[in-house]
Amino acid sequence: MSKVAAFLSGRRTRWVVVGFWLIVVAALLPFQKLTDVESNEASAWLPKNAESVSVLHRAAALLPNETVPGVVVYDRGGQALSDADLAKVNADAAAFRSVENVTGEISPPVRSGDGQAIQLVVNLHVPQDGWAGLGKSVDRMIELAKHDDQGLSVHVTGAGGYAADSGKVFTQGGSLMLITLLIVIVILLAAYRSPVLVLRPLFAAGVALVVAQGVVYLLAKHAGLTVNAQSSFILTVLVFGAATDYALLLIARYRQELRRRENPNAAMAEAWYRSAEAILASAATVTVSMLVLLFAHLGSTQGLGPVCAVGILSSVLVMTTLLPARLVRGPWMWTLWRKTNGRWVFWPAMPEYGSVDPTESGLWAKIGDWVAVRPRRVWIAATLVLVALALGITGLRANGVPDRHSLTKTTQAMVGADVLDQHFVAGAGDPVYILTRADAADQVRAAVATVNGVIVPATPPLVKDGTAMIAVTLTDSPDSAAAIATVGEMRDVVHRIPGAEAEVGGSTAVKKDMEDAAARDSRVLVPVILLVVFLILALLLRAIVAPLLLIATVVVSFAATMGISALVFNHVFHFAGADASFPLMAFTFLVALGVDYNIFLVTRIREETERHGTRRGALIGLSATGGVITSAGLVLAGTFAALGSIPMTFAAELGFTVALGVLIDTFIVRSVVVTALALDFDRYLWWPSKLFRSGPSATEPELADRDEQVAPQPSVV
């Protein structure tokens, strides 16, 4: 480790590091086009053995492949529609056939029972550029329908309309990047008050993002990795957040060492040596936790794991190699003053050799003194507060978000859905498809007709090559919980028919399969992630008690975060629910990232314990890392909060929850609970490691000088 540190900060060898990363960036720049490899269609998100996926494959001979229905609905705001209006709709239907991605037959116009609306169904092929291409097609259809405006309102809704709206949202990656950059710049300026220093970690974070996006593109292109628009957004904020966190930890230690060492290269070598273990352990925890998602059944979750793992690995590699090389190198004008070379990045508040480290008597030192008076009471009280906040989790509705509420702004597809609900049967235009053997079609039709909430048409099923397709209409909205429950009942009924080989598909069935897969993933993967995190912490700390306590604090923090989030979602933002995969996503990010800050703190406590004992080491560790961890927490919370700029319910919920959880971990769990536990458990924190058996006692003189102001507490046995 010391040799690596010396190489990275050497006067000549650092140029090798800079040159290496310049070559890597040049090689990966042509692959900064994740939108070309994104898979946003349902078949890529679902488990391969899902029934709705099987229906998609079996229906390929009966329906155009990879299509979604777009329901075009016309109305006059409650007025009756005339025969002339019907003629216009027929003319529009003919014009729609020339629109790119419109495929198959267009259904005849259907007038509502009250005569106030007309609908027709257009099948839209999902193009190579995904939902973004659908958006262009839908816009063109609306433009054609309105070119001779006769006072008719026209909307394209249904699965095709919602997909088109989502595609427009997914093109806002540039604004997310800009907002994320501004947040990081503001926090770094507030933390260091150095305009020069801000540029170095930002440049390195940009390199990390280029590397991550290039590698993810290649994996998606040549190794079958599933990438969607959501994982692309998350990759951006995760890389900037994590990379900046690692930079802050390294820079803080570098600044401390500059006060102790006159030579900046030697200071950087020592800073890297002392901080690398915590940074690498933190990155390993997040990376392995994300890779656990490979065992998910839901395709979108399964693909997110490797994407985030690549982002973390890119961040840690760049920040532990390129950043040190850049920090110790000053521009030629600064090298004229060798005294400031290497310290210049902190201008105007450059740390002078031999000066006193302000963290020794700063805010976090005072907080440590306050916690040390009655540590047991502090951690018990804080834990009870977190448990009380966790009670709100009972109100979390993580059973999917209806399509019309999947975005946080009103779109034309949502307005069209409201028109459909007012004038047509709720499921009209988005049928449920049942595939069965042709000789069992009549039996299947009769069985399905017994299910409440289903309308079976009188028209005969479509038959080809011995397979029959029955299209039925749901009386509930296709994206509603009631409709999803009806699909489950339909499956139970048709599966009981021997030899029918009947399967139920369609957009509602897709939602059900997603919810079922997400529920299974949460049950199976949550304990696996906890076990993985525990093993990494045990190896890092060479103890059992400390890892168990750290995991317990993170779990309680997660529960409190979810409780608060549920209350805010229901009563402040008025969201219609949460995605079925949301709890697992939030858990993975909060546990992995929450443990990050505990690692930063506890590794420093362990380092100081070897010289001063656990209680003194806890106070030194808190005062030394408090400022940097707070800044890191604010950066990570800010970058995830930037997801709220995307008008998508899932992004807003995930961004809010992760940001809130990080802040709770930063200001309550790490600074209060973990510090209090270390003070209370004393040397038993390190059981059964060498520190437990032979570490310095809490009564040695080095601790006494600090404990003159605080009353020592008995250890927990």
Side-chain angles (χ1 to χ4, degrees), residues 617-672:
L619 297 176
I620 295 175
L622 176 62
S623 63
T625 63
V628 62
I629 294 178
T630 301
S631 299
L634 290 172
V635 166
L636 193 62
T639 54
F640 269 91
L643 286 174
S645 65
I646 303 172
M648 180 183 295
T649 301
F650 176 82
E653 291 179 338
L654 184 65
F656 175 86
T657 301
V658 174
L660 174 64
V662 168
L663 293 177
I664 290 175
D665 279 330
T666 301
F667 290 98
I668 299 177
V669 174
R670 187 266 311 156
S671 61
V672 176

Side-chain angles (χ1 to χ4, degrees), residues 70-74 88-109 118-125 136-148 152-157:
V71 184
V72 188
V73 58
Y74 296 80
K88 171 183 167 35
V89 174
N90 276 305
D92 289 346
F96 292 159
R97 292 188 176 91
S98 65
V99 175
E100 186 179 9
N101 299 319
V102 171
T103 184
E105 294 296 322
I106 297 177
S107 70
I118 297 175
Q119 70 155 337
L120 55 86
V121 180
V122 179
N123 286 317
L124 296 168
H125 172 70
K136 298 173 185 176
S137 299
V138 168
D139 287 345
R140 179 56 180 161
M141 290 169 60
I142 294 175
E143 180 184 351
L144 287 173
K146 289 184 174 180
H147 79 284
D148 55 348
L152 278 174
S153 295
V154 58
H155 306 281
V156 180
T157 186

Side-chain angles (χ1 to χ4, degrees), residues 278-289:
I279 293 175
L280 295 176
S282 167
T285 302
V286 181
T287 299
V288 177
S289 298

Side-chain angles (χ1 to χ4, degrees), residues 42-283:
S43 59
W45 290 36
L46 287 165
K48 292 180 174 57
N49 61 350
E51 187 168 330
S52 56
V53 174
S54 176
V55 170
L56 285 173
H57 295 321
R58 291 178 63 186
L62 300 167
L63 290 174
N65 195 25
E66 290 294 348
T67 62
V68 291
V71 184
V72 188
V73 58
Y74 296 80
D75 78 310
R76 285 187 180 275
Q79 300 179 18
L81 301 185
S82 65
D83 291 340
D85 293 331
L86 182 61
K88 171 183 167 35
V89 174
N90 276 305
D92 289 346
F96 292 159
R97 292 188 176 91
S98 65
V99 175
E100 186 179 9
N101 299 319
V102 171
T103 184
E105 294 296 322
I106 297 177
S107 70
V110 176
R111 200 193 304 242
S112 64
D114 59 11
Q116 296 178 2
I118 297 175
Q119 70 155 337
L120 55 86
V121 180
V122 179
N123 286 317
L124 296 168
H125 172 70
V126 180
Q128 189 173 8
D129 57 350
W131 293 350
L134 283 182
K136 298 173 185 176
S137 299
V138 168
D139 287 345
R140 179 56 180 161
M141 290 169 60
I142 294 175
E143 180 184 351
L144 287 173
K146 289 184 174 180
H147 79 284
D148 55 348
D149 189 6
Q150 300 176 9
L152 278 174
S153 295
V154 58
H155 306 281
V156 180
T157 186
Y162 291 127
D165 288 343
S166 297
K168 295 174 183 177
V169 170
F170 290 159
T171 61
Q172 297 182 6
S175 60
L176 175 65
M177 174 79 75
L178 178 60
I179 293 171
T180 303
L181 277 172
L182 290 175
I183 289 172
V184 173
I185 290 172
V186 168
I187 295 176
L188 288 179
L189 283 173
Y192 289 112
R193 296 178 294 279
S194 170
V196 180
L197 181 61
V198 169
L199 300 177
R200 295 300 161 110
L202 276 181
F203 172 79
V207 170
L209 184 61
V210 169
V211 173
Q213 290 184 335
V215 172
V216 168
Y217 174 88
L218 293 174
L219 290 175
K221 188 76 172 178
H222 303 291
L225 176 63
T226 299
V227 180
N228 56 45
Q230 290 180 1
S231 56
S232 297
F233 286 150
I234 292 173
L235 177 65
T236 298
V237 300
L238 182 64
V239 167
F240 268 96
T244 307
D245 277 7
Y246 302 147
L248 286 168
L249 193 67
L250 178 64
I251 291 170
R253 196 60 187 256
Y254 179 44
R255 185 165 59 176
Q256 289 180 357
E257 297 302 329
L258 283 173
R259 301 181 188 278
R260 302 172 183 173
R261 287 170 173 77
E262 188 171 10
N263 186 304
N265 297 83
M268 174 54 72
E270 182 67 15
W272 191 94
Y273 176 77
R274 293 294 181 182
S275 60
E277 182 181 37
I279 293 175
L280 295 176
S282 167

Side-chain angles (χ1 to χ4, degrees), residues 527-543:
V528 175
I529 291 172
L530 288 175
L531 177 61
V532 166
V533 172
F534 168 77
L535 292 176
I536 293 176
L537 288 174
L539 289 173
L540 172 67
L541 302 176
R542 303 160 183 86

Side-chain angles (χ1 to χ4, degrees), residues 335-356:
T335 58
L336 297 177
W337 295 274
R338 295 182 62 85
K339 181 180 179 181
T340 59
N341 186 26
R343 306 174 192 273
W344 71 279
V345 292
F346 294 97
W347 182 87
M350 293 181 289
E352 297 296 333
Y353 172 60
S355 60
V356 177

